[in-house]
Amino acid sequence: MADLFAGFDPPPPDEAPGANAPLADRLRPRVLADVVGQEHVTGPDGAIGRMVAAGRLSSMILWGPPGTGKTTIARLLAATVDLRFVAISAVFSGVADLKKAFAEARDHARIGKRTLLFVDEIHRFNRAQQDGFLPYVEDGTVTLVGATTENPSFELNAAVLSRAQVLILHRLDAAALGQLLDRAEAVEGRSLPLTPAARDAIVASADGDGRFLLNQAETLFSVALDAPLDPAGLSSFLQRRVAVYDKDREGHYNLISALHKSIRGSDPQAALYYLARMLTAGEEPLFLLRRLTRAAVEDIGLADPQALVQCIAAKDTYDFLGSPEGELAIAQACLYLATAPKSNAAYKAQKAAWRSAKETGSLMPPQNILNAPTKLMKQIGYGAGYAYDHDAEDGFSGANYWPDELPPQTFYEPTERGFEKRLSERLAYWSQLRAERQG
């Protein structure tokens, strides 16, 4: 099994977990190079790789799905740059625990030992608790490494985000999950009792979660089987629906790509086929609903605004009915998307607007559209000359809403398809009025 274990640095015997330790613990990496699937941040050109090479860590937020290595990376970072490692969980910790952690970190800082404070599920702390980190991060008492499965933009204070770099961890792909199984087999000294198709199926069923995959593998290693399990036998053994793959080994990612592109290509028959392939193979319905919703906003957008409504309604219906009855709502949403007029104008507009926002920094809006809740703000011109559109002819003043330093930009250009044809006419009408009234 030596070649299966190539590139992995197992702990030496005197440091290795006991034989009764969970498989995931026995496989826990000892150096960053052993972490699989996150080379974009841990590799030499990644943000973490560069920090380690420089020997200095900045505070960071690790954002990614469960089982992608957030805790492991934090532990390895502390060891790599010789920081004291302290871990707390926002699920189980409160203000008293935070105060204790900060006090201990300050005591150790006085004797020259800095602390890496790892906060799991950091988004579960409320706004006031999150603000409590700031003075200790700013004065260097702790290097904060927060882990979250939720979008930091929505769940974390802007003040925290301004002092920490957000690093995105990817769900583990099939290659990374397969590497974990190779390592598990090397540690156990035997192969998993699975056929090649069942091995592919258990990788797909993990849905990018390495910890879940290793727990499933440990269950398989714990029993004696007369013959390797096929996908059906594996599903029955684990009491979990497992995706079945045909002889061409088309897996999870190939099928979801085929579903999305069939919708984009307005082929409802093919889209329904791939949806059925995934649902009957045991794919999680909510995963499919998330992808359908993405297709609604990326590939249809305002050409048919009801596409998004259909997807959210399908999600609510599935939550209400469950399987198998609720799967009909998923099929209906899929057919609606595939037969809807297509436009990626909103998607392109979003990309262009985000790019412009990053390039132009913090330009102030024109003073006439600034709110003036105080006397001072009114005195310095906030809100002066604002044209209330409802008082204007046609409910349209034609005023300028762009920063003085930035000429008007065009991000959204509707197509001539579906509802966007009406939007295109509306925008052209407003453009003509604006030119006349500003002129």
Side-chain angles (χ1 to χ4, degrees), residues 171 245 250-267 270-275 277-278 283 287-288 291-292 294-295 298-299 334:
R171 66 189 303 282
Y245 296 90
E250 291 182 351
H252 175 90
Y253 298 105
N254 288 340
L255 290 179
I256 197 63
S257 177
L259 171 62
H260 194 144
K261 291 181 173 64
S262 298
I263 289 171
R264 181 182 294 154
S266 300
D267 190 332
L272 193 59
Y273 167 73
Y274 289 118
L275 180 73
R277 281 275 303 274
M278 300 192 81
E283 184 57 76
F287 169 77
L288 293 167
R291 181 53 73 98
L292 292 179
R294 172 66 187 189
E298 178 181 342
D299 298 301
C334 174

Side-chain angles (χ1 to χ4, degrees), residues 99-385:
K99 288 181 177 179
K100 180 181 177 183
F102 293 138
E104 292 177 351
R106 183 155 284 169
D107 290 340
H108 281 82
R110 292 193 185 102
I111 59 174
K113 187 69 171 179
R114 295 183 60 208
T115 298
L116 185 152
L117 179 62
F118 175 69
V119 183
D120 197 18
E121 304 288 346
I122 189 173
H123 62 276
R124 292 182 181 268
F125 278 132
N126 62 38
R127 300 286 177 177
Q129 289 170 321
Q130 290 179 30
D131 284 341
F133 291 107
L134 301 181
Y136 302 98
V137 172
E138 288 177 341
D139 67 11
T141 300
V142 299
T143 296
L144 174 65
V145 178
T148 179
T149 56
E150 304 295 330
N151 189 328
S153 300
F154 303 138
E155 303 297 336
L156 298 184
N157 287 3
V160 173
L161 292 177
S162 70
R163 292 162 176 81
Q165 185 174 359
V166 176
L167 302 180
I168 300 173
L169 302 188
H170 298 159
R171 66 189 303 282
L172 301 185
D173 60 17
L177 292 170
Q179 194 174 351
L180 287 181
L181 289 185
D182 291 344
R183 292 179 180 181
E185 291 174 327
V187 166
E188 292 288 334
R190 55 197 171 107
S191 298
L192 282 164
L194 300 174
T195 65
R199 186 185 177 92
D200 288 343
I202 197 173
V203 166
S205 73
D207 198 23
D209 187 333
R211 187 186 305 109
F212 174 85
L213 179 69
L214 292 178
N215 289 341
Q216 297 288 70
E218 189 166 28
T219 300
L220 290 167
F221 280 130
S222 68
V223 297
L225 298 172
D226 295 332
L229 297 172
D230 62 10
L234 175 65
S235 176
S236 176
F237 177 80
L238 295 177
Q239 293 299 302
R240 175 182 172 88
R241 296 189 301 170
V242 179
V244 178
Y245 296 90
D246 62 18
K247 61 184 180 181
D248 296 325
R249 302 280 179 90
E250 291 182 351
H252 175 90
Y253 298 105
N254 288 340
L255 290 179
I256 197 63
S257 177
L259 171 62
H260 194 144
K261 291 181 173 64
S262 298
I263 289 171
R264 181 182 294 154
S266 300
D267 190 332
Q269 317 303 341
L272 193 59
Y273 167 73
Y274 289 118
L275 180 73
R277 281 275 303 274
M278 300 192 81
L279 280 173
T280 58
E283 184 57 76
E284 290 293 335
L286 290 179
F287 169 77
L288 293 167
L289 282 162
R290 285 193 292 271
R291 181 53 73 98
L292 292 179
T293 304
R294 172 66 187 189
V297 294
E298 178 181 342
D299 298 301
I300 298 167
L302 291 174
D304 186 347
Q306 283 297 312
L308 179 58
V309 176
Q310 285 281 329
C311 290
I312 300 304
K315 185 264 184 189
D316 289 344
T317 303
Y318 181 78
D319 285 343
F320 187 48
L321 296 179
S323 291
E325 291 87 351
E327 293 174 8
L328 177 58
I330 303 176
Q332 176 176 313
C334 174
L335 290 171
Y336 192 100
L337 299 186
T339 55
K342 303 300 187 296
S343 170
N344 69 343
Y347 176 66
K348 290 164 61 178
Q350 184 232 344
K351 294 293 185 184
W354 264 237
R355 185 165 56 249
S356 178
K358 291 177 181 178
E359 291 171 353
T360 55
S362 53
L363 298 178
M364 283 286 288
Q367 280 197 329
N368 64 302
I369 63 171
L370 297 179
N371 193 28
T374 69
K375 183 177 180 180
L376 174 62
M377 295 169 78
K378 292 178 181 177
Q379 289 175 346
I380 62 177
Y382 280 33

Side-chain angles (χ1 to χ4, degrees), residues 33-99:
D34 292 341
V35 177
V36 300
Q38 310 302 342
E39 292 79 8
H40 62 291
V41 293
T42 61
D45 296 328
I48 289 176
R50 292 195 299 269
M51 290 183 203
V52 169
R56 290 186 61 85
L57 293 184
S58 61
S59 292
M60 66 187 76
I61 303 297
L62 302 177
W63 173 28
T68 51
K70 296 184 288 293
T71 304
T72 295
I73 289 173
R75 287 184 180 275
L76 294 176
L77 280 174
T80 302
V81 297
D82 193 27
L83 295 181
R84 172 174 167 266
F85 180 80
V86 175
I88 62 175
S89 169
V91 177
F92 302 109
S93 303
V95 173
D97 301 291
L98 289 175
K99 288 181 177 179

Side-chain angles (χ1 to χ4, degrees), residues 386-398 401 437:
Y386 172 60
Y388 187 57
D389 286 80
H390 294 293
D391 290 339
E393 184 182 355
D394 302 316
F396 182 81
S397 68
Y401 297 99
R437 293 175 185 180

